[in-house]
Amino acid sequence: KQEVTQIPAALSVPEGENLVLNCSFTDSAIYNLQWFRQDPGKGLTSLLLIQSSQREQTSGRLNASLDKSSGRSTLYIAASQPGDSATYLCAPQGAGGFKTIFGAGTRLFVKA
Amino acid sequence: GAGVSQSPSNKVTEKGKDVELRCDPISGHTALYWYRQRLGQGLEFLIYFQGNSAPDKSGLPSDRFSAERTGESVSTLTIQRTQQEDSAVYLCASTRDRANEKLFFGSGTQLSVL
């Protein structure tokens, strides 16, 4: 059974800082891993999808890396802004049955 | 449709009543997921549909929970004899194919069981 852990659970940083969010998963048999953003009272938005054959994906100020064999992924946010404040969720898709399982998330607050 | 649509957006019910939650996936999306998110917690997988294949029901918490989907269209999640612990946001997501496609989420149904 896939278990996903995200560290830290919460993070508060001043505007402009670069930061790293960590995700680990127990079953390395995955098709891909997605990073999502969730804003309070709203649904989830997919930020980046890294396929199992890839090492990283970039979108604007976001960079996600994947080390499938060790069961780890990181999301790097450059030059953080108050608008980045949200909960960030990591979600690997299992190769066995296509289920996508979520971590509990990292709650990020960027202070102006 | 343009996005994943869920209805109702809010549902208040009394303990012991049955409820039905609806999800309209994006047109052409073959895969559909239901998740539950309790207050302050992460997403809990409930059930996964892929085309006409048998659904993966491994996340349904009890036999009071069931879900249906006809082909690649609308899905309904039914909770019978609701309990207070069923109070949560129920989220639906769809994706174009089985693997390596981004999930698109609806805004969810906030279920409150009194």
Side-chain angles (χ1 to χ4, degrees):
Chain A
K1 178 185 172 186
Q2 179 74 280
E3 293 184 4
V4 183
T5 303
Q6 291 190 243
I7 295 172
L11 184 61
S12 180
V13 299
E15 183 177 6
E17 271 204 11
N18 301 324
L19 53 100
V20 175
L21 308 181
N22 296 291
C23 170
S24 62
F25 47 96
T26 55
D27 185 352
S28 62
I30 63 171
Y31 278 120
N32 62 68
L33 186 141
Q34 291 185 67
W35 281 92
F36 289 83
R37 169 184 174 137
Q38 184 173 33
D39 294 279
K42 298 184 180 179
L44 282 75
T45 302
S46 180
L47 298 171
L48 291 164
L49 183 151
I50 312 175
Q51 296 189 22
S52 62
S53 58
Q54 298 173 323
R55 299 285 294 183
E56 63 180 82
Q57 280 286 328
T58 298
S59 176
R61 295 182 293 107
L62 305 179
N63 176 275
S65 67
L66 174 64
D67 184 344
K68 195 179 86 146
S69 60
S70 68
R72 296 176 192 273
S73 177
T74 61
L75 179 67
Y76 176 83
I77 302 176
S80 58
Q81 302 172 357
D84 295 331
S85 299
T87 297
Y88 291 81
L89 297 149
C90 157
Q93 182 182 30
F98 308 102
K99 277 191 307 197
T100 296
I101 301 298
F102 284 77
T106 294
R107 192 181 309 172
L108 173 66
F109 180 63
V110 181
K111 297 172 284 189
Chain B
V4 178
S5 177
Q6 291 188 246
S7 61
S9 56
N10 280 283
K11 176 72 176 179
V12 180
T13 191
E14 293 178 352
K15 178 181 172 181
K17 301 275 191 183
D18 297 351
V19 296
E20 270 192 7
L21 312 180
R22 177 186 168 106
C23 173
D24 273 286
I26 293 173
S27 178
H29 279 197
T30 62
L32 185 148
Y33 294 81
W34 283 99
Y35 292 90
R36 177 170 72 178
Q37 187 172 34
R38 291 191 167 119
L39 186 64
Q41 298 188 19
L43 272 72
E44 178 186 3
F45 168 81
L46 296 178
I47 189 168
Y48 165 71
F49 293 92
Q50 170 59 47
N52 293 317
S53 302
D56 180 344
K57 304 179 181 180
S58 61
L60 294 178
S62 77
D63 58 8
R64 296 187 296 105
F65 287 72
S66 62
E68 292 184 351
R69 187 185 189 197
T70 305
E72 296 177 1
S73 61
V74 170
S75 176
T76 302
L77 177 68
T78 301
I79 308 173
Q80 295 178 311
R81 306 180 303 282
T82 52
Q83 304 294 313
Q84 289 183 331
E85 71 230 31
D86 299 334
S87 296
V89 176
Y90 289 82
L91 291 160
C92 174
S94 71
T95 186
R96 194 167 52 182
D97 204 343
R98 292 187 301 179
N100 293 324
E101 296 284 343
K102 287 187 176 182
L103 266 66
F104 292 85
F105 276 84
S107 297
T109 294
Q110 172 72 64
L111 175 65
S112 300
V113 182
L114 304 179

